[in-house]
Amino acid sequence: MNSSIFNFKRYFVTILIITLSLLSVCLGSAEIYLRSQSKKIQNKNDYRQRLINGHAPWVAVGDSHVANGLLSTDWLDNLGQPSDNLESIISKLEIRMERPGLKGIILPADAQIFAFYRLTADQRTRIQELLDDSSSPLLILQTANKQYLTSLVWSLVTNPASLWLTDQEGERTDVLPDPKSEKWRKDAQLRVQLHTPVREIKTTLAAERYWRMVREIKMKGIKVCMVAYPLSSAYRQAIGINHNFAVVKDFYAEIAAIEKVRYVDASALIPDALFGDPDHLSDRGAIELTSRLFLECDVADTKL
Amino acid sequence: MKWGRPNYHIYFLCLASIIFYGWWNVSYLWLLLTSIGLNYVIGVYIVKERGSHKSKKIVAFAIGANLLLLVGFKYAGMLSETLTWLTTIKIEVPVTELPLGISFFTFLQIAYLIDLSKDDSSAPSFSKYFLFVTFFPHLIAGPLVHHKELIPQFDSEKKSVSWEGLSVGLTIFIIGLFKKLVLSQQVSVWSDAMFNGVAAGVTPSFIDSWVGVLSFTLQIYFDFSAYSDMALGLAKMFDIRLPENFNSPYKSTSIIDFWRRWHITLSRFLRDYLYVPLGGNQNGQAQQYVNLMVVMLLAGLWHGASWQFVVWGGIHGIYLLVNHFWRKHSPWEIPYILSIILTFTAVLIAWVPFRAVDMNSVMTIYNSMFGFNGVILPEHYQSLFSNELNSKFQKIGITFGSLSLYGGGFQILHLFALLCIVWFMPNTQQYMCNYQPCIVLTEIEPSRWKWNSGMVSSMIFGITAVYLILLAVQGKTGEFIYFQF
């Protein structure tokens, strides 16, 4: 055996050994960590159940503003999920409307629905993955987890101690950040930048789809309540006189007026103390908003 | 490591290739197998009748039949839509999924039959022919291999799997995977956002449109480069060398040079089987220009059943005409660096119809790129300029506002870093040049920076492989752009 062949053999075998051993450690640690997060798993299962089998007379759909802003109760199934865009909102409504008993829908009337990153996000697989029953027995291979696999592995590499901590996520602490802090203000500015709607939204297909969605829900005899979700004062201040936000607000108001549906502008309804971050409510804030919307959307009138 | 009995390696690779194709799309496996079977029989017949008048008729029939298959599965919808648009006559064409790799395996076999009718070689055994067409590293997206390049390599006397082949092949494969999962990933997000945004009715600003198109320009570069590397690497692991298909095309100093570096085997195919039979440059300059234009329009059409691809081919055709005309008549030569930048910009502009969803989007993007939809600078830039300057900006249509896609410093740095890789780094063939990873078709300048099979190198590639596998499990792969052709 000459030395170059030995080199190639050693090279190839070394790559294989490194790859297989390192991969086993990474995937094994990630699996162990995920299995320790029982509350997070429970939350996901609960969400899936609400989407597929939920029977509350009202549903709320939308992104994290909805997911964090409302509670699921006997009258309401909260189907809000972070990052949902118009495409996934419509798909979820279609799934729910296949079952009888739906009396009303709370639709989001937030500016970020028309933000560029939401309009262009491809979420076709998102719903299918939620409906897919044949999820892998390995948690790392389940869609909800595997999309964050590299960041999870990296966080375990940088902080191996987290492997022995359980249920870090899913807990919402009562110790909230200070809404008057500089960090809060900067977060608000960043969020506003991200959420800024595109110019001339009325020319977008999304605007047309939103309007059509409202009309079609109404035609099925289901009540619609459009809600602009609460925002902290710092967030509202960061919006300032941004023309694009004002155009979106006018657009929602126009739909509500023409289609004769309820439009609740709750953007300044909740005090800063009940926010978890500049544009998401805390648990207490969610309790408050849920009861306020019960009244504002005339839920009691829908003969529950 | 020698294979056992003669031809066992061929049967093994045939089986692996069928499984590979079936894994991607089992529903058209019958089409691939039928096409191979019929073309092989025709090939045997051509050899038998070689030299006779009948032979030419058989070849013409075979080419027609292969093209008909391609038209039927790939272009019928487009033809029907065009007919409806021109005459309002509506012909219903069933919408079917495009058989994977149909353009490649059809062209590969057409070239084989033409060559067989011209030279004096005998038909290979069926198993070797089968493997020549289906060999999985090139089956779906090329390179378009010449039968004389590949079939002799299947010879069992010479065949073995070596540690060198495995090491070199695996390394090239990892480099390719890195390009796909890391280098082309972020730019594909920006590119998709801009092009999908336009399709959804969003008019991009001047900066957003350039960021989006530049992102696609880099995405398709790394995507195709990645595929080419992975194909070469996989083949090399079985000690088979495929022809080179990609040689730093954005380093080209002209469009003529670009087409010698981008999809090299397709350019070779079009030259040998279309441009030369049309007369090439033998019948005067005017005829040469017509031939070039025809070739480029068909090259565009080969990429996809849409008029946008024809437009893309047409733009490159015009570029080539200008390039040839300039070479012949220009009084001066463009400086080296300027010629690279000019070529790159021309190629970038031409990618718009290639990627855009429809022709309306193409026009919207071009309008934005050339400032007809106004120029918007990021809002915070306003404070950088004096009031006087700001009002001057306003007068010439430059305003300040929020941009959709432009992501500031990080984005600029990211794009700049990728451009540096494209322009200044050696390509895979240069990096691996000591080990002849491919059949060289162009001039490859050796690089000072070369791969070696040392311990440090194995650790770097091993750790990189783990990272790439995690990314792949995460679902970052997506299909290669050239798989749709």
Side-chain angles (χ1 to χ4, degrees):
Chain A
M1 189 185 282
N2 69 38
S3 66
S4 86
I5 292 177
F6 177 71
N7 270 343
F8 284 123
K9 186 176 177 181
R10 192 177 56 180
Y11 176 87
F12 187 77
V13 171
T14 308
I15 288 189
L16 283 190
I17 290 171
I18 289 177
T19 306
L20 291 177
S21 52
L22 213 54
L23 201 60
S24 312
V25 171
C26 289
L27 294 178
S29 322
E31 182 69 21
I32 291 168
Y33 174 79
L34 286 172
R35 286 193 182 274
S36 68
Q37 306 299 302
S38 56
K39 190 157 186 176
K40 196 178 168 191
I41 296 168
Q42 187 56 45
N43 285 344
K44 276 175 196 157
N45 289 339
D46 288 350
Y47 183 88
R48 191 167 171 271
Q49 278 311 311
R50 281 201 299 277
L51 177 66
I52 301 170
N53 299 319
H55 55 267
W58 277 69
V59 292
V61 281
D63 60 8
S64 56
H65 284 192
V66 184
N68 288 38
L70 296 172
L71 300 177
S72 287
T73 63
D74 54 346
W75 68 270
L76 177 72
D77 275 337
N78 184 356
L79 300 181
Q81 205 178 19
S83 308
D84 267 6
N85 69 1
L86 200 53
E87 194 182 340
S88 40
I89 287 171
I90 292 172
S91 304
K92 285 177 182 177
L93 284 179
E94 281 169 355
I95 293 167
R96 176 59 186 93
M97 284 195 291
E98 279 175 6
R99 298 194 301 278
L102 190 60
K103 300 275 197 307
I105 294 172
I106 298 176
L107 288 179
D110 286 337
Q112 72 272 13
I113 287 180
F114 295 97
F116 188 72
Y117 78 104
R118 285 282 165 80
L119 291 178
T120 56
D122 185 354
Q123 301 200 332
R124 273 173 295 185
T125 52
R126 204 172 151 97
I127 306 296
Q128 199 46 50
E129 283 157 357
L130 265 172
L131 296 177
D132 194 2
D133 200 22
S134 59
S135 48
S136 162
L138 283 177
L139 293 180
I140 45 168
L141 295 182
Q142 288 180 1
T143 314
N145 300 320
K146 76 176 179 185
Q147 58 184 323
Y148 304 113
L149 189 59
T150 45
S151 41
L152 172 60
V153 168
W154 181 245
S155 71
L156 291 174
V157 169
T158 50
N159 182 20
S162 57
L163 255 178
W164 287 272
L165 300 174
T166 55
D167 273 346
Q168 297 170 90
E169 295 191 47
E171 295 281 2
R172 289 171 72 174
T173 168
D174 283 325
V175 185
L176 297 174
D178 179 11
K180 289 194 176 71
S181 67
E182 185 59 15
K183 184 183 175 303
W184 183 282
R185 195 182 61 80
K186 279 193 173 159
D187 275 358
Q189 283 175 342
L190 279 174
R191 304 287 299 167
V192 167
Q193 220 168 27
L194 189 70
H195 288 167
T196 301
V198 297
R199 290 175 298 156
E200 300 160 10
I201 61 145
K202 284 187 178 178
T203 63
T204 61
L205 293 179
E208 189 206 320
R209 287 190 78 189
Y210 189 97
W211 202 313
R212 204 169 59 220
M213 168 177 75
V214 173
R215 204 173 290 154
E216 283 173 1
I217 295 170
K218 266 194 70 187
M219 278 165 64
K220 286 186 162 63
I222 298 168
K223 201 167 176 179
V224 173
C225 182
M226 291 166 60
V227 176
Y229 280 82
L231 303 166
S232 68
S233 55
Y235 187 102
R236 280 180 276 127
Q237 206 171 357
I239 290 175
I241 50 164
N242 189 312
H243 178 65
N244 297 11
F245 280 88
V247 170
V248 174
K249 203 167 182 174
D250 291 346
F251 172 70
Y252 287 131
E254 187 185 347
I255 297 179
I258 292 175
E259 300 297 334
K260 297 190 175 58
V261 298
R262 181 63 64 103
Y263 172 45
V264 181
D265 184 357
S267 55
L269 197 68
I270 306 286
D272 284 353
L274 297 184
F275 278 81
D277 66 41
D279 61 330
H280 295 112
L281 293 175
S282 64
D283 281 351
R284 280 172 53 216
I287 294 169
E288 174 73 18
L289 182 66
T290 311
S291 57
R292 295 289 286 267
L293 288 190
F294 184 83
L295 301 172
E296 298 280 349
C297 293
D298 286 338
V299 174
D301 282 358
T302 48
K303 293 175 190 164
L304 302 177
Chain B
M1 286 172 282
K2 282 268 184 194
W3 291 89
R5 294 196 174 184
N7 289 342
Y8 268 21
H9 66 287
I10 295 182
Y11 303 143
F12 169 77
L13 289 174
C14 285
L15 187 68
S17 300
I18 293 174
I19 292 170
F20 176 78
Y21 190 85
W23 186 275
W24 283 96
N25 190 347
V26 75
S27 57
Y28 284 117
L29 195 56
W30 66 269
L31 182 72
L32 175 71
L33 299 179
T34 312
S35 168
I36 292 171
L38 290 176
N39 279 301
Y40 181 73
V41 172
I42 293 171
V44 172
Y45 202 55
I46 286 172
V47 171
K48 201 173 155 193
E49 297 290 334
R50 189 182 279 147
S52 71
H53 188 62
K54 215 173 172 183
S55 155
K56 280 185 183 168
K57 281 186 181 167
I58 300 166
V59 175
F61 166 77
I63 293 172
N66 273 298
L67 289 179
L68 201 66
L69 188 80
L70 193 60
V71 169
F73 279 97
K74 189 169 176 178
Y75 299 104
M78 179 198 175
L79 291 175
S80 141
E81 276 172 26
T82 309
L83 189 72
T84 309
W85 186 72
L86 289 173
T87 65
T88 70
I89 298 169
K90 200 163 185 182
I91 300 173
E92 286 296 331
V93 176
V95 180
T96 54
E97 203 182 336
L98 183 70
L100 211 57
I102 188 169
S103 304
F104 285 95
F105 67 72
T106 305
F107 276 34
L108 202 74
Q109 295 184 96
I110 288 177
Y112 164 76
L113 295 176
I114 294 173
D115 289 343
L116 217 55
S117 71
K118 284 182 179 167
D119 58 28
D120 55 358
S121 57
S122 57
S125 67
F126 181 71
S127 56
K128 282 184 184 172
Y129 178 75
F130 190 93
L131 186 55
F132 154 65
V133 180
T134 61
F135 185 47
F136 66 90
H138 77 69
L139 174 61
I140 294 174
L144 275 165
V145 197
H146 198 287
H147 69 100
K148 283 185 179 168
E149 289 167 340
L150 203 55
I151 290 176
Q153 294 190 60
F154 299 149
D155 195 343
S156 58
E157 295 304 311
K158 301 170 193 167
K159 208 74 259 134
S160 63
V161 172
S162 66
W163 289 113
E164 179 184 329
L166 286 172
S167 302
V168 172
L170 182 65
T171 305
I172 295 175
F173 187 84
I174 293 171
I175 293 173
L177 203 58
F178 183 81
K179 287 176 184 173
K180 173 69 185 166
L181 294 179
V182 179
L183 298 184
S184 87
Q185 183 54 35
Q186 183 57 52
V187 277
S188 74
V189 173
W190 292 330
S191 152
D192 287 351
M194 200 280 282
F195 283 98
N196 295 345
V198 174
V202 179
T203 305
S205 70
F206 173 79
I207 294 179
D208 287 334
S209 60
W210 278 95
V211 167
V213 179
L214 177 60
S215 296
F216 180 71
T217 305
L218 291 166
Q219 182 199 350
I220 194 167
Y221 177 94
F222 286 113
D223 191 273
F224 193 29
S225 175
Y227 173 78
S228 301
D229 283 353
M230 289 163 77
L232 289 186
L234 272 177
K236 182 72 183 168
M237 287 173 84
F238 295 99
D239 244 17
I240 286 170
R241 289 192 308 143
L242 294 177
E244 78 172 308
N245 210 21
F246 196 86
N247 181 16
S248 305
Y250 291 165
K251 287 178 185 168
S252 307
T253 53
S254 67
I255 293 293
I256 296 172
D257 189 23
F258 174 79
W259 280 102
R260 286 179 186 148
R261 292 163 173 265
W262 179 276
H263 212 325
I264 299 166
T265 55
L266 176 67
S267 300
R268 180 180 65 167
F269 178 92
L270 293 170
R271 183 196 64 204
D272 293 347
Y273 301 100
L274 195 58
Y275 180 67
V276 171
L278 283 171
N281 57 2
Q282 301 300 306
N283 301 317
Q285 201 174 26
Q287 186 59 43
Q288 183 198 0
Y289 287 177
V290 172
N291 294 342
L292 269 177
M293 204 64 199
V294 169
V295 169
M296 290 317 294
L297 290 173
L298 288 173
L301 196 59
W302 176 87
H303 279 84
S306 150
W307 287 106
Q308 281 164 244
F309 289 108
V310 181
V311 171
W312 172 75
I315 294 173
H316 272 277
I318 294 168
Y319 286 165
L320 281 174
L321 302 194
V322 172
N323 201 167
H324 278 283
F325 187 84
W326 181 267
R327 272 197 180 175
K328 215 158 197 175
H329 304 287
S330 83
W332 50 278
E333 204 171 306
I334 301 173
Y336 179 72
I337 292 176
L338 185 61
S339 65
I340 291 178
I341 293 170
L342 266 178
T343 308
F344 177 78
T345 311
V347 171
L348 175 147
I349 289 169
W351 283 129
V352 174
F354 191 95
R355 170 61 181 85
V357 176
D358 50 40
M359 280 311 282
N360 284 338
S361 302
V362 174
M363 293 319 295
T364 306
I365 294 167
Y366 277 144
N367 280 333
S368 296
M369 286 175 81
F370 295 110
F372 297 121
N373 288 330
V375 177
I376 302 171
L377 296 178
E379 211 146 21
H380 60 278
Y381 281 24
Q382 201 164 6
S383 57
L384 302 176
F385 306 114
S386 65
N387 286 344
E388 198 184 341
L389 203 58
N390 280 335
S391 60
K392 275 185 184 167
F393 279 153
Q394 221 155 21
K395 275 179 194 164
I396 56 169
I398 298 174
T399 54
F400 296 89
S402 54
L403 295 173
S404 308
L405 185 59
Y406 173 67
F410 166 74
Q411 197 174 49
I412 292 173
L413 265 177
H414 193 107
L415 293 171
F416 181 72
L418 292 184
L419 284 172
C420 285
I421 293 172
V422 164
W423 280 328
F424 303 114
M425 295 272 284
N427 61 38
T428 311
Q429 290 95 296
Q430 290 173 307
Y431 182 54
M432 307 296 291
C433 66
N434 285 350
Y435 302 94
Q436 301 172 330
C438 60
I439 299 167
V440 178
L441 300 176
T442 59
E443 198 180 321
I444 293 177
E445 291 169 24
S447 148
R448 270 187 300 172
W449 193 34
K450 285 173 193 153
W451 173 78
N452 68 67
S453 55
M455 187 54 89
V456 176
S457 177
S458 65
M459 287 175 80
I460 291 171
F461 278 98
I463 292 167
T464 309
V466 172
Y467 177 58
L468 295 173
I469 294 169
L470 288 176
L471 284 177
V473 173
Q474 192 171 326
K476 291 268 184 189
T477 44
E479 270 195 5
F480 288 102
I481 294 172
Y482 264 74
F483 274 20
Q484 61 188 290
F485 310 137

